[in-house]
Amino acid sequence: MLTLPPATPTSSFAARMLDLCVRLQGTICDGLEALDGTAAFGRDAWERPGGGGGEARVIENGLVFEKGGVNVSAVHGMLPERMAGAFGVDAKPFFATGISSVIHPRNPHVPTVHFNFRYFALGDDLAAPEDQWFGGGADLTPYFPDLRDVVHFHQVWKTVCDRHRTVADYADYKAKCDRYFHLPHRNEARGVGGIFFDYLRDDPAAVFAFVEDAGHAVLDAYAPIVERTKSEPFSEREQAFQEIRRGRYAEFNLAYDRGTRFGLETNGRTESILMSLPPRAQWHYAWVPEAGSREAQATAFFQPHDWLGGDVPSAS
Amino acid sequence: MLTLPPATPTSSFAARMLDLCVRLQGTICDGLEALDGTAAFGRDAWERPGGGGGEARVIENGLVFEKGGVNVSAVHGMLPERMAGAFGVDAKPFFATGISSVIHPRNPHVPTVHFNFRYFALGDDLAAPEDQWFGGGADLTPYFPDLRDVVHFHQVWKTVCDRHRTVADYADYKAKCDRYFHLPHRNEARGVGGIFFDYLRDDPAAVFAFVEDAGHAVLDAYAPIVERTKSEPFSEREQAFQEIRRGRYAEFNLAYDRGTRFGLETNGRTESILMSLPPRAQWHYAWVPEAGSREAQATAFFQPHDWLGGDVPSAS
């Protein structure tokens, strides 16, 4: 159930962000359904015992999209002890809303995409919170990356950031994304990155405008890549590589992702938290791609690169 | 490379435990190869930069065993800071050796098994360590559990514990196993448990005799179950359930297992740490077994039960 705490003014960032998330959920699900052509997003509304709830929209077994979700939640109540500790504050009223999505396509030539935009407020009065901040980002996880797609994806986010120079810095947010989606035990990136930002507190009106613009750019960033790749033929071997890479995706999300770990530790809604996990994954002992293979070429993309600066990966 | 620190006396528990682990690795791999009938365990020796190393023995794509490993390691040096902190001691010399194994069969009617026996010593002199302890255990993860197998598995461990009453307590170790292999976010057990023990310090000679006996009981506990089930026909639907359950196995190992998390955080050998991950896993949004189905009956086993006391699970 997507509700605000009683008496939240519609002019508050809490109300405006929830409204934005709901609108984005609708337009992005519509856009993805159009790309898929057959499957539709189902709806799964849930309630949080402590206050608020969410609505998961989930697609499975589509022609293009094998498994994906676009979740919106809006939760409030007293800050759980574990979260208060993480933020270094005492227990007090909080409100959090956000949209979060992972889309896993069937065809190994179509990248997985993840995006998330969120807002957090502390204090009794959402018209004038004691503290409030925005966070979010979007990143791409191709299996057989095409440099054109990677450059397109990053260019969209650079263009959005450049329109909001007072609050958004593409180079900084790109670097933060590379640092975040890093698997230390593999010494590799989850994918080809994107942007990641958090704790944006100053000038909330300007930050909200940036987040709104970024939310509307998700389909611009992702849809052309899906259009270009969705009809490419693929082999069982390519599918096996996709599933091996999806094993790494599961490793990152279960072992490192802060949102996932925080959600599990704070007794969050398991199905929403683990919605990000891939439909299928494989693990083989000490697997490495054959030298010179397309899998080896792909793997060279899974290290940070200055994609817009012409830094082109080459397989070693 | 399986080596002891220089001048370690052969009468020390360090030397005796390493010797035991190497012998167990040989007999258990031989036993599993005989059960498989076609595949053989490969050997992958590795060295630890700080001192010592290990030998992984790995089986893949067998007739019976889809993916499994039996690893022995013996590492020594100065206790890494992160471990010293966990043990509440200053940095000092340490020695650790152990055998660790996860075996994932192909047929969903054959359970996955995990076992581990380990020894840890602190101080300069392995003939008279400042502190030393043993740990270990074995647990079973069936997909379509048969009560006879579960009772057999637990009975073997009870019999072993009962032979070493001064240091081993089946009821206690069974309860510890249930507590350890618990997925809080699913409120379910990883499988049907077994035994789990750690920090056994008192009377190391008696503990070593127990660990030796337990190590030799692994094949007694597991082989008859494999023999009974390995030729059962299975369907795609049963295989899908196996892969969904293996998703939970991956969730436990990546998000909760202390050994895995500790290994990843202390920059351990990734391939050995993640050897436990299943060959294939599946995740579906909000998946629940159909009421009255064999999957629902199976799921009823994944809660702690007094298997030897006649407490029989029933699907709700």
Side-chain angles (χ1 to χ4, degrees):
Chain A
M1 304 300 300
L2 290 169
T3 51
L4 289 161
T8 305
T10 54
S11 61
S12 64
F13 287 111
R16 292 171 65 191
M17 184 66 178
L18 173 56
D19 179 63
L20 172 64
C21 290
V22 170
R23 281 183 291 123
L24 287 174
Q25 188 185 38
T27 55
I28 292 170
C29 288
D30 288 351
L32 294 171
E33 284 178 359
L35 282 166
D36 192 89
T38 58
F41 279 87
R43 282 175 197 275
D44 191 9
W46 53 275
E47 208 162 327
R48 177 175 174 272
E55 184 166 305
R57 296 205 57 192
V58 177
I59 194 166
E60 283 197 284
N61 303 315
L63 195 64
V64 174
F65 301 117
E66 189 173 0
K67 177 173 185 277
V70 183
N71 288 348
V72 173
S73 67
V75 301
H76 59 90
M78 288 301 283
L79 200 60
E81 203 175 313
R82 174 78 182 62
M83 290 172 85
F87 295 148
V89 298
D90 292 333
K92 56 176 69 180
F94 83 102
F95 171 78
T97 188
I99 181 168
S100 177
S101 175
V102 174
I103 305 291
H104 291 291
R106 186 177 301 284
N107 185 324
H109 297 291
V110 187
T112 285
V113 75
H114 159 250
F115 67 88
N116 165 243
F117 302 104
R118 56 192 180 269
Y119 168 80
F120 208 97
L122 289 175
D124 279 311
D125 181 7
L126 288 173
E130 289 176 38
D131 194 2
Q132 60 182 336
W133 65 86
F134 293 86
D139 68 286
L140 195 72
T141 305
Y143 303 93
F144 294 98
D146 185 301
L147 189 61
R148 290 169 297 177
D149 296 337
V150 182
V151 167
H152 163 78
F153 189 80
H154 277 267
Q155 188 59 59
V156 166
W157 299 116
K158 180 171 190 311
T159 303
V160 169
C161 290
D162 286 353
R163 280 199 293 262
H164 302 269
R165 280 186 199 279
T166 60
V167 292
D169 178 344
Y170 165 76
D172 181 34
Y173 295 176
K174 189 263 185 204
K176 285 192 165 82
C177 190
D178 286 338
R179 278 199 295 277
Y180 186 80
F181 293 105
H182 172 70
L183 282 79
H185 64 288
R186 303 273 186 196
N187 190 28
E188 67 182 25
R190 189 172 78 170
V192 298
I195 58 168
F196 181 96
F197 54 92
D198 208 356
Y199 304 112
L200 299 193
R201 287 186 158 85
D202 298 339
D203 196 352
V207 173
F208 181 76
F210 162 59
V211 169
E212 187 167 25
D213 203 4
H216 289 304
V218 165
L219 285 173
D220 300 336
Y222 187 51
I225 300 171
V226 179
E227 282 292 6
R228 195 189 69 70
T229 54
K230 71 179 185 179
S231 303
E232 283 190 27
F234 61 90
S235 65
E236 273 183 34
R237 173 173 164 164
E238 287 167 335
Q239 216 164 4
F241 182 63
Q242 179 196 49
E243 295 184 8
I244 290 167
R245 294 298 314 167
R246 286 183 171 177
R248 314 260 167 127
Y249 207 93
E251 286 174 24
F252 179 82
N253 287 22
L254 290 167
Y256 298 104
D257 183 62
R258 289 205 297 258
T260 304
R261 298 200 59 78
F262 197 82
L264 294 180
E265 284 167 22
T266 54
N267 205 12
R269 183 174 182 263
T270 296
E271 287 305 329
S272 297
I273 299 164
L274 299 185
M275 187 204 71
S276 66
L277 292 176
R280 288 162 198 279
Q282 289 187 27
W283 283 276
H284 305 280
Y285 179 78
W287 187 88
V288 282
E290 214 176 294
S293 64
R294 284 212 55 201
E295 290 82 1
Q297 288 165 27
T299 303
F301 278 73
F302 307 133
Q303 295 294 339
H305 289 275
D306 177 13
W307 307 106
L308 300 183
D311 173 12
V312 181
S314 60
S316 55
Chain B
M1 305 301 298
L2 290 169
T3 50
L4 288 160
T8 305
T10 53
S11 61
S12 65
F13 287 111
R16 293 170 65 189
M17 183 67 177
L18 173 56
D19 179 62
L20 172 63
C21 290
V22 170
R23 283 184 289 123
L24 287 174
Q25 188 185 38
T27 55
I28 292 169
C29 288
D30 288 351
L32 294 171
E33 283 177 358
L35 282 166
D36 192 89
T38 59
F41 279 87
R43 284 175 196 275
D44 191 9
W46 54 275
E47 208 161 326
R48 176 175 175 272
E55 185 166 304
R57 296 205 57 193
V58 178
I59 195 166
E60 284 196 283
N61 302 317
L63 196 65
V64 174
F65 302 116
E66 189 173 359
K67 178 172 185 279
V70 184
N71 288 348
V72 172
S73 66
V75 301
H76 59 91
M78 289 301 283
L79 200 60
E81 203 175 314
R82 174 78 182 61
M83 290 172 84
F87 295 149
V89 299
D90 292 332
K92 55 176 68 181
F94 83 101
F95 171 78
T97 188
I99 181 168
S100 177
S101 175
V102 174
I103 305 292
H104 291 292
R106 188 177 300 282
N107 185 325
H109 297 291
V110 188
T112 285
V113 75
H114 160 250
F115 67 88
N116 165 245
F117 302 104
R118 56 192 179 269
Y119 168 80
F120 209 95
L122 290 175
D124 280 309
D125 182 6
L126 288 174
E130 289 175 37
D131 195 2
Q132 61 181 338
W133 65 86
F134 293 87
D139 68 286
L140 195 72
T141 305
Y143 304 94
F144 294 97
D146 185 300
L147 189 61
R148 291 169 296 176
D149 296 337
V150 182
V151 167
H152 163 79
F153 190 80
H154 277 267
Q155 188 59 58
V156 166
W157 299 115
K158 180 171 189 310
T159 303
V160 170
C161 290
D162 286 354
R163 280 200 292 262
H164 302 270
R165 280 184 200 280
T166 60
V167 293
D169 178 344
Y170 165 77
D172 181 33
Y173 295 175
K174 189 264 185 202
K176 286 191 165 83
C177 190
D178 287 338
R179 278 198 296 277
Y180 187 80
F181 293 105
H182 172 70
L183 283 78
H185 63 289
R186 303 274 186 194
N187 190 27
E188 69 182 23
R190 189 172 78 170
V192 298
I195 57 167
F196 182 96
F197 54 92
D198 208 354
Y199 304 112
L200 299 194
R201 287 187 159 84
D202 298 339
D203 197 351
V207 173
F208 180 76
F210 161 59
V211 168
E212 187 168 26
D213 202 5
H216 289 303
V218 164
L219 285 174
D220 300 336
Y222 186 51
I225 299 171
V226 178
E227 282 292 6
R228 197 189 68 70
T229 54
K230 72 179 186 181
S231 304
E232 284 191 27
F234 60 90
S235 65
E236 273 184 33
R237 172 171 163 166
E238 287 166 337
Q239 216 164 4
F241 183 64
Q242 179 197 48
E243 294 184 7
I244 290 167
R245 295 297 314 168
R246 285 183 172 176
R248 314 259 167 127
Y249 207 92
E251 286 173 24
F252 180 82
N253 287 22
L254 290 166
Y256 298 103
D257 184 61
R258 290 205 297 259
T260 304
R261 298 200 59 79
F262 198 82
L264 294 179
E265 285 168 21
T266 55
N267 207 11
R269 183 173 182 264
T270 296
E271 287 305 330
S272 298
I273 298 164
L274 298 186
M275 188 205 70
S276 65
L277 293 176
R280 287 163 198 278
Q282 289 187 28
W283 284 276
H284 305 280
Y285 180 78
W287 187 89
V288 283
E290 214 178 294
S293 65
R294 283 213 56 201
E295 290 82 1
Q297 287 164 28
T299 303
F301 278 73
F302 306 134
Q303 295 294 338
H305 289 276
D306 177 12
W307 307 106
L308 301 183
D311 174 12
V312 181
S314 60
S316 55

